[in-house]
């Protein structure tokens, strides 16, 4: 990919609109609202000026995971845990064009403790400015405009967790400056997003001179999804007409210090990385399908310290999933995923194939749901050719507002 084009486009989209929009004004909503209300935003405290508010939300995901390796006499592992426990705060104050978002996580699996070495409670902390009806400028820490499955909240997924392709190649959260421009929001949306960020991920105190540059283009050629349906998995609203979303993201990370750019263990030496992500989402009358492709490239992906090595997972992966939502809150789905490491790192990473079936019972949409999933994993060593595999049963209950 042409790195100079990615960098220049990201910088231009992030910096120039902020200057041009400095004098923009927006009308205030003077409609009367109750001081305390319970809406789709959560528990909402509204100000008397007609636009200021504070919305509070929480959610908890509990799961149990039981695995058995091929050839084992009994269970190989059994886990019961609080997978996610999060609080989210959204507020508009002083000026209706400014919005603040903060998200905190409290379960160990959500804190990235094993990789970062400290309890990483803060997930999101942003201030956004609605410069025009089409343009949003945002600064702080949040998700990069990456693959759709990562951008969609984990609370809006139709499987208990995201795919192995997302885990291998996503670009996740970072600290910096974002812009999003949306054209034809109610007809055939075209969304352009860009970000210039630190490249080191969540809550990193020290960095290096390298930055991360991200650009994304997304189009909805068949029209806008009902009720923001491009922002949650499964066709829970049973689209009356076919709806399609196509997206492509490019990311270049200069001197990344972690194995996955913004995620993973810290490398023994910085590496430049390039990530390509492409995704498709289709929904119609209860049927939904989503496809994603991820690829990461890096020169000299292996870093060493004495006899120890830490490597960048270069290679590619593909995820395909499909589902059908029945009118009474029941959904069945299937997923096929592959991750193929590049030849340079096959001594460090195995090739993985995963297939799964999921049953979901929605009690109150994605806010309250129970899921049961059966998973088959197959691995192949890229050096010796040895294979292994196993089965996993996973069940999840999620409750939130």
């Amino acid at each position: 990919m042409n790195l100079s084009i990615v960098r220049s486009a990201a910088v231009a989209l992030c910096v120039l609109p902020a200057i041009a929009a400095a004098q923009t004004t927006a009308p205030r909503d003077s409609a009367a609202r109750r001081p305390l209300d319970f809406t789709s935003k959560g528990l909402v405290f509204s100000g008397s000026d007609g636009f200021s508010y504070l919305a509070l939300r929480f959610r908890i995901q509990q799961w149990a995971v039981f695995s058995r390796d091929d050839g084992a006499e009994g269970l190989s592992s059994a886990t019961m845990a609080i997978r996610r426990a999060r609080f989210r705060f959204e507020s508009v104050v002083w000026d209706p064009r400014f919005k603040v978002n903060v998200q905190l996580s409290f379960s160990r699996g959500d804190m990235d403790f094993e990789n970062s070495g400290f309890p990483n409670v803060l997930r999101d902390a942003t201030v956004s400015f609605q410069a025009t009806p089409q343009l949003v400028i945002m600064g702080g820490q949040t998700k990069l405009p990456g693959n759709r499955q990562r951008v969609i909240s984990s609370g809006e997924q139709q499987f208990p967790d995201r795919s192995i392709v997302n885990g291998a190649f996503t670009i996740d959260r970072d600290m910096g400056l974002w812009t999003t421009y949306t054209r034809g929001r109610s007809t055939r949306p075209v969304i352009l997003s860009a970000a210039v960020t630190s490249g080191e991920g969540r809550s990193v105190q020290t960095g290096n001179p390298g930055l991360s540059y991200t650009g994304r283009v997304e189009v909805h050629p068949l029209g806008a999804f009902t009720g923001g349906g491009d922002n949650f998995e499964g066709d829970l609203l049973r689209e009356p007409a076919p709806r399609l979303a196509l997206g492509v993201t490019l990311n270049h990370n200069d001197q990344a210090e972690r194995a996955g750019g913004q995620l993973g263990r810290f490398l023994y030496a910085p590496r430049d990385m390039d990530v390509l992500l492409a995704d498709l989402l289709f929904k119609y009358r209860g049927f939904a399908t989503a496809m994603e492709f991820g690829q990461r490239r890096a020169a000299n992906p292996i870093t060493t310290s004495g006899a120890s090595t830490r490597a960048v997972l270069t290679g590619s992966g593909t995820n395909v999933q499909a589902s059908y939502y029945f009118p009474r809150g029941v959904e069945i789905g299937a997923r096929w995923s592959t991750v193929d490491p590049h030849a340079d790192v096959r001594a460090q990473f195995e090739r993985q194939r995963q297939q799964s079936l999921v049953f979901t019972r929605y009690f109150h949409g994605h806010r309250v749901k129970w899921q049961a999933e059966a998973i088959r994993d197959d691995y192949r060593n890229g050096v010796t050719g040895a294979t292994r595999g196993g089965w996993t049963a996973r069940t999840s209950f999620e409750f939130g507002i």
Side-chain angles (χ1 to χ4, degrees), residues 31 36 77 206 222 224 227 253 309 343 362 385 390:
L36 178 60
S77 66
T206 59
L222 302 181
N253 198 337
T309 64
Y362 296 98

Side-chain angles (χ1 to χ4, degrees), residues 377-396:
D377 284 296
D378 291 286
Y379 301 86
R380 182 182 180 86
N381 188 297
V383 177
T384 66
T387 60
R388 63 185 182 90
W391 291 89
T392 298
R394 183 162 59 183
T395 182
S396 169

Side-chain angles (χ1 to χ4, degrees), residues 18 42 168 270 281:
L281 175 67

Side-chain angles (χ1 to χ4, degrees), residues 14 20 54 58 72 80 83 108 142 148 153 157 168-169 178 191 199 201 220 315 349 357 365 368 383 390:
C14 283
L54 171 64
F58 72 86
M80 296 183 182
R83 174 63 180 89
R108 184 180 178 91
T142 192
R148 183 176 301 280
S153 168
Q157 304 284 324
F169 301 111
W178 283 253
I191 306 168
H220 299 191
F349 302 101
L357 296 174
V368 184
V383 177

